[in-house]
Amino acid sequence: MKRIFAQCAKELTQFRRDRLTVALAVLLPMATLLIFGYAIRLEANNIPLAVQDLEGSPTSRAYGQRFYATNQFVPVRWDGRGDPEALLDAGVARAVVIIPADFSRRLEANKVAPVQALIDGTDSNNARVIRNSIRQVTNFYLSTRADTAPAIALRSRLWFNPGREEALYIVPGVFAVVLAIWPPLLMAIAMVREKEQGTIIQVYASSLSAVEFLLGKGLAYFLVGVAQAVAVFALGAVLFGLRLAGDPTPLVVGTVLMLVASIAFGLFIGTRTTSQSAAVQAVATSGFLTALLLSGFIYPLSNIPFPLSLVSNIVPARYFIEITRDAFVRGTGWAGVWSAPLLLAVLGGVFFMASFRNLKRMQLPG
């Protein structure tokens, strides 16, 4: 243990002397949180919508204006004449609603009034959102009319996030992405630096075992990762108003195990690469892309096609996202996320053993 702590102290001393690395270790996680937290928005707002009212009656105008009463649609400057498809072709509008000339007469006669909606389908996801929003506005408008009141009145309630705050969904996921990128990146660079400077030869020839060397080096950057985690958690609470929704112990245990898995992954990359540029590329490719695309951060895991869905099972960020979103949104505690910490511990052990095997092959026999 003394040799492990001595190795850890040496690593922290070297880390502290490199001011650029210290600055990057502090600023990059916070910059990632700010960019992702404010830039990523899954809910479409301010969608340019044009309404062509072929009737011009008070009823049709009330229906057309109902679309702009929400925060999703904004009106497009158009006199209602000409071909509405030209607005879509020019990219001026994302959708056009065409109200027929006999709209009010059909409603008063309790007949179907066919309203046409032309939607830009370039982005299939946004097109689906626009179509559903137009349907919801239409249903709400019909519910306000006494002569067309629906037979069933649905009363829905959003559970866990009734205010539909996107920060409650995005920011906990950013925590996982931050801890999946920067701690292993720093760890891999520090490991490769030993090779580039030639100091790794002294380790091979010394009495320091591979396990002691890896544990000492990993412990130092584990402490750096703890500082990064505390910083981004605090920044998320201050800027986005995140608060714990339940038992904090799953988050504490999960954060420790997530850092263990990330540091072990950084050790694995560091023992396999021979230059800092290669280490950066390896972490960016296998760490950042998988944490961003295969962890459930933005896209549901059920949408990941086979065989990439199998790769998602070995992405640590996937399991930490379950823990953070439960801690800050759902609040179910251990009953809902008990398996995630276990899988993080397994992944951490696998990465560490792979790092040990890589380093053991290169170490000179005693």
Side-chain angles (χ1 to χ4, degrees), residues 313-335:
N313 292 320
I314 59 173
V315 177
R318 165 184 176 170
Y319 305 107
F320 191 58
I321 284 178
E322 294 180 15
I323 296 173
T324 54
R325 284 179 176 162
D326 181 81
F328 293 105
V329 184
R330 296 175 60 86
T332 57
W334 286 108

Side-chain angles (χ1 to χ4, degrees), residues 17-49:
R17 289 175 179 174
D18 191 345
R19 295 183 178 180
L20 177 60
T21 302
V22 173
L24 294 178
V26 174
L27 296 179
L28 289 180
M30 293 187 177
T32 304
L33 178 63
L34 292 175
I35 294 173
F36 282 21
Y38 284 111
I40 296 179
R41 286 295 177 265
L42 303 179
E43 184 176 357
N45 292 319
N46 299 322
I47 302 170
L49 173 75

Side-chain angles (χ1 to χ4, degrees), residues 246-304:
D247 184 6
T249 55
L251 178 63
V252 174
V253 175
T255 301
V256 171
L257 294 175
M258 175 63 186
L259 287 173
V260 169
S262 295
I263 295 301
F265 176 70
L267 285 171
F268 171 71
I269 296 296
T271 55
R272 294 293 298 177
T273 53
T274 56
S275 65
Q276 295 187 39
S277 60
V280 171
Q281 292 176 5
V283 173
T285 303
S286 58
F288 174 68
L289 290 181
T290 56
L292 188 66
L293 301 176
L294 300 180
S295 65
F297 169 48
I298 298 178
Y299 311 107
L301 292 173
S302 58
N303 289 358
I304 302 176

Side-chain angles (χ1 to χ4, degrees), residues 33-103:
L33 178 63
L34 292 175
I35 294 173
F36 282 21
Y38 284 111
I40 296 179
R41 286 295 177 265
L42 303 179
E43 184 176 357
N45 292 319
N46 299 322
I47 302 170
L49 173 75
V51 176
Q52 186 178 38
D53 187 355
L54 299 179
E55 184 180 54
S57 66
T59 301
S60 63
R61 284 196 297 269
Y63 172 62
Q65 290 299 321
R66 178 66 63 181
F67 291 100
Y68 305 127
T70 67
N71 64 346
Q72 286 191 303
F73 298 110
V74 293
V76 173
R77 292 197 174 190
W78 185 45
D79 58 4
R81 301 175 182 176
D83 186 5
E85 296 180 3
L87 298 177
L88 298 178
D89 295 338
V92 176
R94 299 292 299 276
V96 179
V97 175
I98 304 174
I99 304 175
D102 57 349
F103 177 75

Side-chain angles (χ1 to χ4, degrees), residues 72-133:
Q72 286 191 303
F73 298 110
V74 293
V76 173
R77 292 197 174 190
W78 185 45
D79 58 4
R81 301 175 182 176
D83 186 5
E85 296 180 3
L87 298 177
L88 298 178
D89 295 338
V92 176
R94 299 292 299 276
V96 179
V97 175
I98 304 174
I99 304 175
D102 57 349
F103 177 75
S104 60
R105 180 174 57 82
R106 283 181 168 272
L107 287 182
E108 292 171 358
N110 287 327
K111 295 182 179 180
V112 176
V115 176
Q116 186 177 22
L118 305 178
I119 302 172
D120 184 352
T122 305
D123 186 340
S124 59
N125 183 61
N126 277 342
R128 186 163 47 250
V129 171
I130 294 172
R131 183 179 60 184
N132 292 336
S133 298

